[in-house]
Amino acid sequence: KFLSLKNLEDLSLEEKEKYYQMVKEYCDSLKINIESKKISKKLISLLAPHLRNYKLEIYGDENIPKDDSAIFICNHSNSHDFFTTQEVFHELNRNVTPFGASDCLSFISLQMFKLGDVTLIDRDSKQSSLEGLMNFSKKIIDGEDGIIFGEGTWNLHPIKPMQKIKAGGTQSAIITDKVIIPTIFEYVEVPDVVDKERELYSRCIVQFGKPIIVKPEDNIIQKTKLVENTMEEMRKDLWKKLGIDRNSLDDINQQIYLNHTYLKKFDGFGFEYDSDHEFKY
C-alpha cells in the first residue's frame, strides 16, 4: 500500500526507512529495459540542433555526480524542453529518461516522446501518476538519469520565476537514494515582435545547480519547497546576469509578451498549449 504525503509524515523514522525500502524493492521488481531506447534517443539528440534557431550553452556540469545517476528537477517553459533535454544529456554522455504527461500530446508528439524514453503519465489519473513514478524510479535505480519538470505544466507567467513544484521528484530521490540537481533551462527571448516561434530565442542557457541530498527523515514538502526556492534564486540570478528585468509588470512590454506567448502556445513544434486544460495543473 502506497502512502500519501500526509500519512508518510505521521510515521516514525524507523517506519519511514522500512517503507521506502519496501518501495525500492517494489521498483527493483519491475521489468523495464533501459537499453531499448538508446539508439532512438541518440537519433533525437542529433535531430534536436536542427529544430532550434539559437545557441545552446551548458554551465554547472561540474555539479553532476560523475559515477552515479541523479534526478534533475527542471523548470518548464515551452515545446523545446524535450529536445533540449535529449541534446544536452547526449552532449554530456549521459543516459536520461524524462518524466512527462501524455494527456496533452498530439499523436506525433506522443510517438516522439516514446522514442525518447519519456516515462509517461496521465495527469488526470492518480493511479497513472503513481505507476509512472515507480517506473521512473526503476530506470534511475538501473542507471539512467531522471529529469522531471517539477512545475507540471509550462510557466508562461510574465514575471514569476517558477510555478509551484510538485513533490514527485523529491519522493523519487528518496526511493532511489540519488541526489537532486536543480536545473534551469533559460530561453533568452529576443526583444521584438516576431512572426514565427522559430524566431523567439537568441540562446538557451542550461544551468545545473549544486546537489541537494534528500533522506527518509526529511519532510518531503519542506524539501520540495527548498528545491523550488533554489531554482527561483538560480533563475533570478541568471536574469540579473543577462540584464533581464522582470521585477514587476511595469517591466513587461505587453505587446511583446502577448506576441511571444501566443507563438509559444500555437506555433511550437508538434504541440499546442490548451490553457483551459493546463490551468488545473
Side-chain angles (χ1 to χ4, degrees):
K1 180 177 172 61
F2 295 98
L3 301 179
S4 67
L5 294 181
K6 182 181 182 303
N7 289 337
L8 266 174
E9 294 309 322
D10 290 337
L11 299 180
S12 67
L13 174 57
E14 183 179 355
E15 289 170 329
K16 284 182 179 180
E17 290 175 338
K18 183 178 179 180
Y19 172 77
Y20 282 117
Q21 182 59 37
M22 290 170 61
V23 175
K24 185 172 184 178
E25 289 172 1
Y26 171 77
C27 291
D28 268 331
S29 72
L30 299 174
K31 305 298 182 185
I32 300 176
N33 182 1
I34 68 171
E35 300 295 319
S36 62
K37 297 294 196 315
K38 276 193 172 182
I39 293 176
S40 57
K41 284 195 286 188
K42 183 175 181 180
L43 291 174
I44 293 171
S45 71
L46 296 175
L47 170 67
H50 302 287
L51 299 176
R52 59 177 171 87
N53 193 32
Y54 48 84
K55 297 185 294 183
L56 182 63
E57 305 170 24
I58 303 172
Y59 300 101
D61 51 303
E62 69 276 3
N63 293 318
I64 302 173
K66 302 304 179 188
D67 301 315
D68 198 6
S69 56
I71 294 175
F72 297 77
I73 299 183
C74 186
N75 64 314
H76 202 11
S77 300
N78 57 55
S79 60
H80 292 275
D81 285 339
F82 167 70
F83 296 100
T84 300
T85 296
Q86 299 292 339
E87 184 176 357
V88 166
F89 281 81
H90 176 72
E91 181 74 19
L92 297 174
N93 196 32
R94 298 183 72 99
N95 189 16
V96 66
T97 178
F99 190 79
S102 62
D103 53 84
C104 56
L105 300 177
S106 67
F107 176 78
I108 293 175
S109 296
L110 181 60
Q111 302 314 308
M112 185 72 74
F113 275 35
K114 288 179 178 179
L115 290 172
D117 193 25
V118 178
T119 303
L120 291 164
I121 64 164
D122 178 351
R123 290 173 294 176
D124 289 322
S125 167
K126 289 184 177 181
Q127 183 64 26
S128 173
S129 299
L130 177 60
E131 290 175 359
L133 187 64
M134 296 301 107
N135 290 333
F136 181 69
S137 299
K138 163 65 173 177
K139 293 177 183 179
I140 296 166
I141 291 169
D142 285 352
E144 284 193 280
D145 288 315
I147 186 164
I148 186 166
F149 298 93
E151 294 163 296
T153 186
W154 294 0
N155 178 14
L156 297 174
H157 198 281
I159 64 173
K160 196 174 182 180
M162 296 289 300
Q163 300 287 2
K164 186 177 179 181
I165 293 288
K166 309 294 190 296
T170 308
Q171 287 183 287
S172 186
I174 298 176
I175 294 167
T176 60
D177 195 24
K178 306 295 182 183
V179 298
I180 292 172
I181 305 294
T183 303
I184 297 297
F185 290 177
E186 186 63 46
Y187 297 87
V188 182
E189 299 179 24
V190 298
D192 306 300
V193 170
V194 295
D195 296 322
K196 297 289 185 182
E197 197 272 350
R198 185 172 173 79
E199 302 168 350
L200 273 181
Y201 310 108
S202 61
R203 60 204 282 209
C204 175
I205 297 172
V206 178
Q207 179 74 57
F208 296 109
K210 295 186 181 301
I212 295 175
I213 298 172
V214 190
K215 295 295 183 183
E217 59 264 29
D218 291 329
N219 181 293
I220 292 175
I221 300 300
Q222 291 177 1
K223 208 71 173 187
T224 301
K225 188 62 178 175
L226 171 64
V227 175
E228 180 184 317
N229 291 342
T230 300
M231 294 173 70
E232 282 188 353
E233 291 306 312
M234 287 173 63
R235 195 159 192 218
K236 286 179 181 178
D237 186 54
L238 276 173
W239 287 352
K240 185 175 181 180
K241 290 177 180 177
L242 293 166
I244 297 172
D245 294 322
R246 292 185 186 172
N247 298 309
S248 74
L249 289 176
D250 292 334
D251 296 324
I252 305 302
N253 181 303
Q254 294 181 33
Q255 185 180 12
I256 291 175
Y257 169 75
L258 291 172
N259 167 249
H260 287 198
T261 302
Y262 182 87
L263 291 174
K264 290 174 192 175
K265 291 174 64 173
F266 302 117
D267 196 43
F269 179 81
F271 182 83
E272 287 192 0
Y273 185 96
D274 183 337
S275 290
D276 290 334
H277 180 71
E278 296 298 324
F279 179 76
K280 56 188 172 181
Y281 306 117

